[in-house]
Amino acid sequence: MSKLRKRRMQFVITALVVPVILLIVFVVIPAADLFRMSFTDWDGYSKDSSIVGFTNYISMLKNKDLWLSLKNNAVYFVIHFFMIAAELGFAVILTGRLRAAKLYKTMVFMPYIINGVAVAYAFSYFFSPINGAFDAILGVLNLEFLIRNWLSDPKIVNYVLSFVSVWRFSGYHVILFMAALQSIPQDVAEAARVDGANAWQLFKYIQVPGIMLMVDFVLFDNIRGSLQVFDIPFVITSGGPGYASSTFTLYTIKTAFTYSNFGLASTMAVAIMIMIVFIYVIQNKIIHGLILRDRRK
């Protein structure tokens, strides 16, 4: 074997071994220890812990506040899900010949690069009932009758927080869709225009099928993000009033660090990992097994 081939083999082995080691050290081992911890009553600081079997899992399933938190997660998912169409529409517009397109792209993407805690603090003042900018805007527009307790009314607080989440992450999805649209061969689009396809037909039959893999990724990102949302409700409302705006992740962290029940918190963390994997498998079956399979045919 020549020296060049040996060096190539060494490079390939190194390139494979290092990521595998990192994966095992930072993902596999912590996940296994998390699963082990979910069967204990560890309080987070004691040296010893007792095995409690499936007690934590039973307690988790019977916890009404946790189910309420999971219901709040569903609000984030539904709102982000319906925003996908709007995000894709913005991407199509910005990809076209639009004046000052670079400025609009920067404005759309800017919220995503701002720190999440800073965004949460800004909107907590924006919706504040005391000298809040949003109530002031409604007052200037003579819409005082619309003023509400935006962050303390259990009926609307999750929708307000979901709006903040949409404002922060939609620009990221728009940029992803734009990158996918720009990867579609231009000769295909030009041929469709020559054949008489209008903008809607081009969008329906050329652009959407061509970026279905990106739609699949954005949809999964919405699912994962809605299940793991934490910083926005934590900073703005701390999950209140009561558990009206709590989320699954926020409840899990409070269980661990506020109530010192790391065993039950580990059970919740295992549950959220299982939910994400399960949803991904179902989504993968639908997208790749049905939609993309029919497209390939």
Side-chain angles (χ1 to χ4, degrees):
M1 184 181 293
S2 64
K3 290 184 178 180
L4 180 59
R5 290 191 61 185
K6 286 183 178 180
R7 289 180 180 178
R8 286 179 178 175
M9 287 296 296
Q10 291 174 354
F11 173 77
V12 171
I13 293 173
T14 304
L16 291 175
V17 169
V18 172
V20 170
I21 292 175
L22 293 175
L23 180 67
I24 292 174
V25 172
F26 293 105
V27 177
V28 177
I29 294 177
D33 190 57
L34 186 71
F35 184 73
R36 178 198 60 80
M37 201 185 307
S38 68
F39 292 99
T40 69
D41 61 353
W42 189 48
D43 56 12
Y45 53 86
S46 299
K47 292 182 178 180
D48 300 323
S49 61
S50 302
I51 302 297
V52 296
F54 290 94
T55 302
N56 289 330
Y57 288 88
I58 296 173
S59 299
M60 179 186 66
L61 294 175
K62 291 183 178 180
N63 193 321
K64 295 181 180 180
D65 295 329
L66 183 61
W67 283 106
L68 175 60
S69 300
L70 187 59
K71 181 181 177 181
N72 296 336
N73 285 98
V75 175
Y76 288 85
F77 168 71
V78 171
I79 292 178
H80 275 280
F81 177 79
F82 285 105
M83 277 298 298
I84 290 179
E87 292 162 356
L88 182 54
F90 274 114
V92 172
I93 293 173
L94 293 175
T95 306
R97 297 176 180 178
L98 182 69
R99 290 184 178 180
K102 292 183 179 180
L103 175 63
Y104 295 134
K105 293 175 186 178
T106 304
M107 293 174 61
V108 165
F109 190 65
M110 186 65 69
Y112 179 71
I113 64 177
I114 300 176
N115 181 270
V117 175
V119 170
Y121 269 117
F123 276 96
S124 66
Y125 288 110
F126 183 72
F127 288 111
S128 174
I130 303 174
N131 298 324
F134 188 61
D135 288 347
I137 293 172
L138 293 177
V140 171
L141 298 176
N142 295 320
L143 298 175
E144 291 90 349
F145 65 94
L146 294 177
I147 294 178
R148 300 287 187 275
N149 293 321
W150 305 107
L151 302 178
S152 59
D153 187 344
K155 295 181 180 179
I156 62 173
V157 62
N158 285 304
Y159 298 98
V160 175
L161 298 180
S162 298
F163 163 78
V164 178
S165 179
V166 166
W167 182 86
R168 183 186 176 197
F169 291 104
S170 286
Y172 169 61
H173 295 155
V174 170
I175 296 299
L176 291 178
F177 282 136
M178 289 177 59
L181 288 168
Q182 291 172 350
S183 68
I184 298 176
Q186 292 299 315
D187 54 347
V188 176
E190 292 297 333
R193 292 191 183 94
V194 171
D195 291 337
N198 55 35
W200 170 249
Q201 291 171 331
L202 184 67
F203 175 76
K204 182 178 180 181
Y205 297 107
I206 301 296
Q207 293 176 324
V208 171
I211 64 169
M212 188 53 65
L213 289 176
M214 184 58 72
V215 173
D216 179 32
F217 172 79
V218 170
L219 180 58
F220 177 72
D221 188 58
N222 281 343
I223 295 171
R224 179 196 56 78
S226 64
L227 285 174
Q228 296 180 329
V229 62
F230 167 73
D231 51 354
I232 290 175
F234 177 74
V235 174
I236 297 179
T237 64
S238 296
Y243 292 99
S245 63
S246 178
T247 61
F248 200 99
T249 302
L250 179 56
Y251 193 95
T252 301
I253 292 176
K254 281 188 174 182
T255 300
F257 295 99
T258 302
Y259 303 110
S260 298
N261 194 341
F262 277 74
L264 181 57
S266 299
T267 303
M268 297 174 185
V270 170
I272 199 171
M273 285 194 301
I274 293 174
M275 282 190 288
I276 291 175
V277 172
F278 177 76
I279 293 172
Y280 172 75
V281 171
I282 299 298
Q283 177 186 326
N284 190 67
K285 290 289 185 182
I286 295 173
I287 299 291
H288 294 267
L290 297 177
I291 298 176
L292 293 179
R293 182 185 64 183
D294 294 338
R295 176 188 163 193
R296 286 191 290 266
K297 290 180 178 180

